[in-house]
Amino acid sequence: MNRPILDRSEVSSRRRSLSRAGLLALVAVAGCNADRLFTPGPASSSAAVSIQSGGPVTSVGLRDDSPPAEASGYLLIPKARLAELQQKAKSNAPDFAAMKASADENLAKPDGNRGSAENAALTYLLTSDKKYADSALMWAKKHMAEDVRDGSYLDYGDLMRSAALVLNWCGAGLSPEAKKELADYLAKWSEEVWFANKGSGWGLADPGNNYHMSFIEGSAYAGYALTAAGDARGKRFVDVVKDKMDRRGGVLEYLETRGKGGMWHEGTNYGQRSNERLFGAVAAVASMGGPNWFKRSRFFGDAVRRAAYEVQPGNRYLAPSGDLARDAGMPVSPFDRDWVQLVAFWVDDPQVRGIAGWFLKEVMPSYLDDKTFNWRGAYYRDVLFGMPLPVEPTSKLPLSYRAEGNGWVARRSGWDAHATAVTVAGNAVIDQSHAHVDSGSFTIWKDGWQAPDAVSYGRSGLNWDAGSHNMIHVKGHARFDARTGGLQRFTDDGTVAYVTIDGTGLFMHRPGSEAQPMLGEWTREMVYARPDTLVVYDRVKPLAAGRDYEWRMHFPARPTVAGNRATATNQGGAIAVTLFGAKVMSVAEDSDLPEGGSAAFRIGAAPDGDVAQGRFLAAIQVGSAGPPAAAAERIRPTGNVDGLAVGDVVAVFSKEPKGAAVPSFSYTVTGIGKRTHVLLDMGAGCNAEIKKSGDGTTVTVSPGNKYPAKDGMIRITE
């Protein structure tokens, strides 16, 4: 396999994360645990998957009338590309020279941190020097000695790719016996994975799971390598891949529905791995003249667009979501270069290639990275897919992004290294084991993490519960499949961005045989006023089992609390939080969180007043020169509304359940300076009268159409 030995920790962490809550064990599964919370794939130890004639997907995806790529006969290399690669070798181009140097270094003793079978095999294909075919075979045999069943076939995709590329690229330099050994290996394990599975069956039937992507990856490489070698067994696996991609309920449909916007429900870490696996498989199929799924789904291009927003200002870290098993900090790494480079080669959308050009030049310009790890085994990808790309200035991109499939929203103040970035989790469905109970949570970056998930400082990166995120925490909630309203509204007018989340069904417990909800309502609204202010409003209505709840927010360093205001600094930034509707805030270390705790800190606060109708209102400000000093003031309303003034922004929300519109109301704030008034939960337009008297400003709102509403928001700038 061409992944560094360093990444083997991801494998063990993944196994731990899947078994931690009583899930099916991945190595030896005896059956279902009665306390299993997430729904896995088939649990039979002899699971078999049949190809069903459900019909191809026709209701989703992009129309593609272009002819398939003309195949060269070599995996990942369309015919038109082969001559270019041969010229690279002839001229000893830098990317080819780096790959060849790695192949030379590992001729006799393969070192997974220094090279790969793929490097050696491609060097042979482009030089016809048999010593590289011999070396590639040695690499392949090393991997073939590994237990493919380990972790319920977790590494099947990597192992099949390695063997398939050696067979396909080095065929002319291998003995008949060696080619038969490779072919039998590919056929045996591909047959077993799908039709005689001896593991848990995890991921076999789940198109949103990284295991499923591994199975598709391995089968694509195995099927086409066997077919190219004249082995009739290959067709079976080629057909499996096509069926899994195109069938109703298959991968393509998943990408165009739940994956819409380019993001996986498993989160940042495992989404990264799914991209690597799936995109490589799709490239292998397209290169051999098969279906070009890159042109059948928006997902591939949107994954690159979304990546631009996932990268936090300064270009070193990714916004967290889900389990972060490989590295809880989620630095941008060569693993990201891998899949972005591949999309740039195959997706000919000018904007996608421009964003990829920026990413590959400014964010991760090499497979050698002194801040994470060096992945020399991926040099062959620079040779295969390296190409001149335009660089799309990020300044041309919008300041917000929504991944519609899972409700993830990213907003930022700009594209410079000192910009503020705010991300929001708005997923309506939680059904992946690596997903967290985090709908409605947010993170804030300003010259470093100022409001991170505690997961980013976690000892395992697996801190799944709501209490590990910036959101409401209900004591005793467990990790179940969940269906919530998710992201309800999203709008951004360039000055103010607004989202609403309905997380009512998120908190569950199991007092008896079935899971039961703990809240009758939890809705959250967030107003991001550029550049550095976030206003958050929460409505909580507990059921009997959910009355012990609190508002939580996390910090990289211990915050200082004075009254209802908390401040903290981290790296080059700082944050101030003013919380209304809560009792005195407590400060605690996050060492008590599930899954090993975290080195982060948190503030927590129970509701002040009627626990049965909790209302929290927070003003959160960030800055670069110490905690912002602007005080936050709660409005003095007439009518069932609530809100606050902070700086030159006033945000007003409905106190009604689920944010039902309040057509008429008024409020007063201190001061007569000019302000921007942001009225939320407005079902329709309104009229508004602003009067200044003495040291106060009063705004009276009535039905009308002077100020139109967009997605429930009206912005009035004095």
Side-chain angles (χ1 to χ4, degrees), residues 312-370:
Q312 299 300 284
N315 297 346
R316 287 307 309 165
Y317 292 93
L318 301 175
S321 62
D323 284 346
L324 308 177
R326 180 175 55 78
D327 187 329
M330 275 320 289
V332 186
S333 77
F335 293 158
D336 299 288
R337 177 178 176 81
D338 177 11
W339 68 263
V340 171
Q341 187 178 52
L342 208 156
V343 173
F345 183 86
W346 284 98
V347 176
D348 55 5
D349 181 307
Q351 187 191 57
V352 170
R353 284 189 166 174
I355 297 172
W358 162 79
F359 190 100
L360 298 173
K361 179 180 179 182
E362 303 293 339
V363 180
M364 188 51 55
S366 172
Y367 285 108
L368 302 181
D369 183 57
D370 59 4

Side-chain angles (χ1 to χ4, degrees), residues 586-598:
S586 63
V587 178
E589 297 180 359
D590 279 329
S591 57
D592 61 341
L593 298 176
E595 302 295 350
S598 168

Side-chain angles (χ1 to χ4, degrees), residues 237-497:
F237 312 122
V238 168
D239 289 345
V240 167
V241 173
K242 291 178 179 177
D243 176 69
K244 296 302 177 185
M245 291 294 295
D246 282 340
R247 69 191 304 172
R248 294 196 178 278
V251 174
L252 191 66
E253 184 172 321
Y254 188 95
L255 299 182
E256 284 293 297
T257 52
R258 293 193 58 191
K260 191 174 183 179
M263 195 168 187
W264 297 91
H265 286 251
E266 285 193 297
T268 303
N269 188 162
Y270 291 91
Q272 177 194 70
R273 192 65 173 110
S274 286
N275 283 352
E276 288 185 280
R277 288 168 162 162
L278 177 63
F279 297 4
V282 172
V285 173
S287 70
M288 300 298 280
N292 188 344
W293 288 299
F294 285 113
K295 294 186 177 182
R296 289 276 309 281
S297 174
R298 302 169 182 83
F299 180 91
F300 303 100
D302 282 348
V304 172
R305 293 185 179 96
R306 185 263 311 159
Y309 296 85
E310 191 175 44
V311 175
Q312 299 300 284
N315 297 346
R316 287 307 309 165
Y317 292 93
L318 301 175
S321 62
D323 284 346
L324 308 177
R326 180 175 55 78
D327 187 329
M330 275 320 289
V332 186
S333 77
F335 293 158
D336 299 288
R337 177 178 176 81
D338 177 11
W339 68 263
V340 171
Q341 187 178 52
L342 208 156
V343 173
F345 183 86
W346 284 98
V347 176
D348 55 5
D349 181 307
Q351 187 191 57
V352 170
R353 284 189 166 174
I355 297 172
W358 162 79
F359 190 100
L360 298 173
K361 179 180 179 182
E362 303 293 339
V363 180
M364 188 51 55
S366 172
Y367 285 108
L368 302 181
D369 183 57
D370 59 4
K371 293 182 176 63
T372 54
F373 56 85
N374 296 327
W375 191 9
R376 294 175 178 85
Y379 282 159
Y380 77 101
R381 292 187 176 262
D382 273 339
V383 176
L384 288 174
F385 306 122
M387 56 187 290
L389 289 170
V391 174
E392 174 92 352
T394 50
S395 59
K396 291 185 177 181
L397 297 176
L399 292 176
S400 60
Y401 187 86
R402 173 180 59 171
E404 294 178 63
N406 73 346
W408 183 80
V409 173
R411 302 164 293 177
R412 56 197 303 150
S413 63
W415 289 98
D416 60 282
H418 300 290
T420 297
V422 181
T423 60
V424 177
N427 41 320
V429 179
I430 298 177
D431 60 356
Q432 289 293 333
S433 65
H434 293 299
H436 288 185
V437 181
D438 65 351
S439 277
S441 69
F442 63 87
T443 65
I444 305 176
W445 176 283
K446 175 71 172 182
D447 293 314
W449 285 119
Q450 305 308 325
D453 286 343
V455 188
S456 295
Y457 293 85
R459 297 182 176 89
S460 66
L462 310 178
N463 312 104
W464 59 267
D465 77 318
S468 302
H469 302 80
N470 298 320
M471 58 188 294
I472 299 298
H473 173 62
V474 182
K475 187 175 181 180
H477 80 274
R479 194 178 189 192
F480 294 88
D481 282 4
R483 299 293 187 273
T484 75
L487 181 67
Q488 298 288 294
R489 290 172 173 162
F490 166 70
T491 188
D492 188 343
D493 65 9
T495 299
V496 174

